[in-house]
Amino acid sequence: MAYIDVFNGDADGICALTQLHLAEPRDARLVTGVKRDIELLDQVEASAGDRVTVLDISLDKNRDGVVRLLAAGAEVFYVDHHFAGAIPDAGTQGGRLTAIINEAPDVCTSLLVNGHLKNRYLAWAVVGAFGDNLKSSAETMARGLSVSEAQLRQLEELGTYLNYNGYGESVGDLHFAPDALFRLVSRHESPLEFIAGDGRRYFEQLADGYRTDMDHAAAMRPQAGSTEDAALFILPDAPWARRVSGVYSNDLVNQYPDRAHAVLTEKANGHYLISVRAPLNRKKGADELCRRFPTGGGRAAAAGINDLPAAQLGEFARQFAAQFAR
């Protein structure tokens, strides 16, 4: 029997898998990538009796892979909060599919895993929620922890930095490959142990990169046609821009909670990578907008498009403004 762990390379995916590995240590093959690598089951082959864990990637984008793995006799444990569509019937698959799916806007995969594990590693779930920009949910859950305000802010910073590290066109854009970063953090039962202990230098490396890249982003201004309801930003084709595309979107929506934001990053092929955030005070519509375009997907509050042709920029801008107009 083989263990295969498939997870999104952002904070939520890493923190969700960290909880599961702390609860059940195992030698597993890790399958991950940059945050936008979501069709990860295309990389997985399994046999009868193998156990495949899938975290924080859309079942809608991986349904064929799930069906294929179940047909091969593997067991699949799937936890996610993105749009799922039709979930394969576990009853027709010999009971080998366990799916914990919740698309509510204030839930993330780390919190779902925390519920499954009955709060055993709650601090890691809080880090994952902070990383997914679910500050209210994270702070509510953190009431179950014995931490000071300063320690809570450290958990928030770690979540932000882990999430920041997941963004890039390829792993070469990142400070750490997601599987390597997972191995570094998952040795620690508490994220505070990671921050204060032998993980401190990695924490500081991410913090330095984050601050430098966000300083670049701070100079950007909304594009013409942006409104008080929806603002669009275009970042250049540069590694720093690819790294901040998601966290910069989160930062903007936290600063302007009544406004939707779209951050477009120019790509080498002339197309755009897009991060969309619904208004913090109206967490809906981001996934609906992005799924209208071929490489789009996500969740109600935060979604994206992996490859928008430049010829469709005007149409995207029009639909973005219409989606969030009050």
Side-chain angles (χ1 to χ4, degrees), residues 4 26 57 102 161 182 187 207 215 235 259 275 279 298 319:
I4 305 170
R26 56 185 180 262
I57 56 175
N102 187 336
Y161 301 155
F182 162 76
R187 300 196 300 262
D215 283 346
L235 306 185
R259 190 172 74 180
S275 289
Q319 292 200 34

Side-chain angles (χ1 to χ4, degrees), residues 156 180 234 237 252 270 307 311:
E156 182 176 13
I234 297 181
D237 176 18
L252 287 168
D307 195 67

Side-chain angles (χ1 to χ4, degrees), residues 115-315:
H116 174 70
L117 295 177
K118 297 179 171 53
N119 297 325
R120 285 181 65 183
Y121 303 101
L122 176 58
W124 279 115
V126 169
V127 171
F130 273 129
D132 243 25
N133 202 38
L134 300 179
K135 184 171 182 175
S136 178
S137 297
E139 292 182 338
T140 297
M141 295 300 295
R143 293 171 188 163
L145 298 172
S146 297
V147 296
S148 66
E149 179 63 23
Q151 289 173 321
L152 183 61
R153 298 285 71 88
Q154 284 187 313
L155 298 181
E156 182 176 13
E157 290 171 353
L158 179 58
T160 299
Y161 301 155
L162 292 177
N163 204 53
Y164 154 76
N165 184 75
Y167 282 88
E169 189 169 358
S170 67
V171 171
D173 283 337
L174 312 185
H175 296 287
F176 297 92
D179 56 343
L181 191 54
F182 162 76
R183 290 188 178 96
L184 290 172
V185 303
S186 62
R187 300 196 300 262
H188 302 269
E189 289 207 4
S190 165
L192 293 172
E193 293 175 5
F194 171 77
I195 294 170
D198 62 7
R200 184 69 189 181
R201 65 184 184 275
Y202 308 120
F203 178 84
E204 292 293 350
Q205 183 177 342
L206 289 172
D208 290 343
Y210 173 82
R211 287 191 287 263
T212 299
D213 289 349
M214 288 296 281
D215 283 346
H216 287 301
M220 307 306 297
R221 295 293 177 264
Q223 293 292 300
S226 295
T227 70
E228 62 181 14
D229 294 330
L232 187 149
F233 295 75
I234 297 181
L235 306 185
D237 176 18
W240 73 262
R242 293 190 288 272
R243 288 193 295 264
V244 301
S245 61
V247 289
Y248 181 48
S249 302
N250 291 341
D251 189 60
L252 287 168
V253 80
N254 288 328
Q255 289 185 59
Y256 306 96
D258 292 316
R259 190 172 74 180
H261 297 86
V263 175
L264 286 69
T265 307
E266 296 175 349
K267 300 177 65 173
N269 64 1
H271 297 185
Y272 294 93
L273 175 75
I274 303 178
S275 289
V276 175
R277 298 295 183 269
L280 201 61
N281 294 332
R282 293 183 288 132
K283 292 184 176 181
K284 60 181 181 179
D287 55 342
E288 295 175 7
L289 170 68
C290 292
R291 287 203 305 272
R292 295 175 197 151
F293 298 87
T295 60
R299 51 193 175 88
I305 301 171
N306 287 343
D307 195 67
L308 182 83
Q312 295 183 26
L313 176 58
E315 178 62 18

